[in-house]
Amino acid sequence: MRAVTLPRFGGPDVFVCEEVARPVPAAHQMLVKVAACGVCGHDLLNRAGNFPHTRLPAVMGHEIAGTVVEAGPLVTRFKPGDRVAVIQRIPCGLCALCGSGRENLCSSGPGFYGEGLSGGYGEFVLASERNALLLPDSITLRAACVLSCAIGTGFHALRRAGLELGDTVVVTGASGGVGIHTIKLARLLGLRAIAVSSSKAKAAHLQDSGAAEVIVAPDLSFHKAVRDLTRGEGADAVIEVVGKPTFNSSVRSLKAGGRMVIVGNLDPGNVPLNPAMAILKEIDFLGSAHATLADLRKVVDLVVRGEIAPDIGDFVPVQEVSRAHRMMEERKVSGRVVLLHDDQQ
Ligand SMILES: [Zn+2]
Ligand SMILES: [Zn+2]
């Protein structure tokens, strides 16, 4: 099959377009012809060599939508021709985490696309009944690829945050693919969403997307502004999409008893944390990883009902993935950048 491969870790120009072996589905798996694949912040980290499970040469891309072209004999719910979106990994379906609906944390299955598993920068991927969802006709494959990660990740994080109608939530990295959809979802939930962005040019789009307030903080210090907007109390929760650069200001944006939901880690490394702040304010620190199949199902329902629309900043032919990565790194787009395979270009 044709694929854009990562032969070595490095900058945006390391990708190579080449022919590689097509994945072979097991009896309980399907082969999916990829139509579109979102480019995630996770991909930039993977390309740079931050993930120990990635085997080179790798075919990256975990935000995938496409059409089933082969179904193994044990697959009962899908058939060739079905249009599907998938969650970011194929879980094992057997471990305690999978059994409790937390298959996003499974480490026993075939793995995460782009790391242990060939991903959507290639023409075909494997999928299974444990990670694929049949798409209604009203959702295009171009839009469907962003449902699991760019929307599902924020959906999962807001579930983890356990907020109530009228609560205030701060979203960092709000102009990016995960951030902008988290703002839209927060609005849907009846939350007051305070968007934090480093770019003034993106503020109007954030307001149009449902942000009650936008804090433009090029210096990544925004906790004073959050306090000013909350009668000095702070926010009920922060959805931390950026990670290290905004972490300190995010913690200081929380009210006593607030929740810090850590979703993104765009600049890997340790963060300083004064334990006294966590103790005296009884801050809950929660991690949130990707999305489950149940999250994806609910996101699809929301999109079908017109409650939320995917925010895609640009479409790029998959062969031009280096350009897409540069656009992401230079923060030139709001929302997601989506790679299109040949039949969608
Ligand atoms: Zn992603
Ligand atoms: Zn499992």
Side-chain angles (χ1 to χ4, degrees):
M1 67 172 182
R2 288 184 302 280
V4 176
T5 65
L6 181 75
R8 60 189 166 82
F9 298 118
D13 293 314
V14 292
F15 293 107
V16 175
C17 295
E18 59 181 334
E19 284 288 323
V20 299
R22 181 193 280 203
V24 179
H28 61 284
Q29 292 178 331
M30 305 175 277
L31 188 68
V32 172
K33 187 171 195 306
V34 181
C37 181
V39 180
C40 188
H42 185 103
D43 296 2
L44 308 187
L45 293 172
N46 196 4
R47 190 204 71 221
N50 288 288
F51 299 137
H53 298 300
T54 301
R55 293 192 298 267
L56 296 176
V59 180
M60 296 191 350
H62 58 265
E63 305 191 356
I64 300 163
T67 305
V68 175
V69 290
E70 267 180 61
L74 299 182
V75 174
T76 59
R77 291 190 288 112
F78 296 90
K79 60 184 186 313
D82 283 348
R83 299 160 68 255
V84 294
V86 298
I87 57 169
Q88 295 91 332
R89 69 168 65 244
I90 302 182
C92 77
L94 300 169
C95 71
L97 289 163
C98 284
S100 61
R102 303 186 79 180
E103 74 275 9
N104 56 319
L105 306 179
C106 174
S107 58
S108 307
F112 201 96
Y113 291 106
E115 294 178 24
L117 192 60
S118 187
Y121 292 12
E123 200 179 357
F124 296 93
V125 294
L126 299 177
S128 91
E129 292 181 307
R130 296 173 189 136
N131 85 322
L133 196 71
L134 188 65
L135 288 167
D137 292 341
S138 60
I139 301 182
T140 65
L141 293 174
R142 288 165 161 241
C145 68
V146 305
L147 303 185
S148 66
C149 199
I151 307 182
T153 298
F155 185 91
H156 191 78
L158 285 167
R159 275 183 48 210
R160 296 276 290 156
L163 295 164
E164 294 180 4
L165 188 70
D167 282 352
T168 298
V169 61
V170 172
V171 180
T172 62
S175 308
V178 171
I180 196 99
H181 293 107
T182 305
I183 294 286
K184 291 184 179 201
L185 290 163
R187 170 72 174 266
L188 263 184
L189 284 167
L191 305 173
R192 177 192 185 197
I194 299 178
V196 177
S197 174
S198 57
S199 166
K200 192 169 185 212
K202 293 172 179 170
H205 185 54
L206 283 165
Q207 233 135 19
D208 292 345
S209 300
E213 278 93 17
V214 179
I215 300 173
V216 177
D219 61 352
L220 304 179
S221 175
F222 47 87
H223 53 279
K224 290 197 179 83
V226 172
R227 285 199 209 123
D228 287 345
L229 290 168
T230 54
R231 294 188 298 264
E233 292 175 6
D236 296 282
V238 174
I239 306 296
E240 178 54 271
V241 180
V242 176
K244 187 173 78 170
T246 47
F247 193 88
N248 185 263
S249 203
S250 289
V251 174
R252 297 173 78 183
S253 297
L254 286 166
K255 73 176 191 185
R259 297 189 192 111
M260 177 84 170
V261 183
I262 305 159
V263 186
N265 186 29
L266 302 181
D267 182 10
N270 296 328
V271 291
L273 176 67
N274 181 348
M277 188 150 28
I279 295 165
L280 297 175
K281 288 173 78 177
E282 282 200 351
I283 303 294
D284 289 335
F285 289 88
L286 300 162
S288 182
H290 324 299
T292 64
L293 195 57
D295 294 327
L296 176 58
R297 187 171 287 117
K298 289 197 172 170
V299 167
V300 166
D301 287 346
L302 289 172
V303 172
V304 167
R305 294 206 305 269
E307 306 274 6
I308 183 169
D311 194 314
I312 297 173
D314 211 342
F315 293 98
V316 173
V318 67
Q319 298 84 350
E320 297 175 32
V321 65
S322 297
R323 178 162 70 87
H325 273 233
R326 274 196 297 275
M327 287 162 68
M328 294 273 291
E329 287 193 341
E330 292 164 10
R331 297 196 178 92
K332 282 191 173 158
V333 283
S334 286
R336 247 319 167 249
V337 179
V338 165
L339 303 174
L340 298 177
H341 284 265
D342 287 351
D343 56 356
Q344 296 284 321
Q345 291 174 15

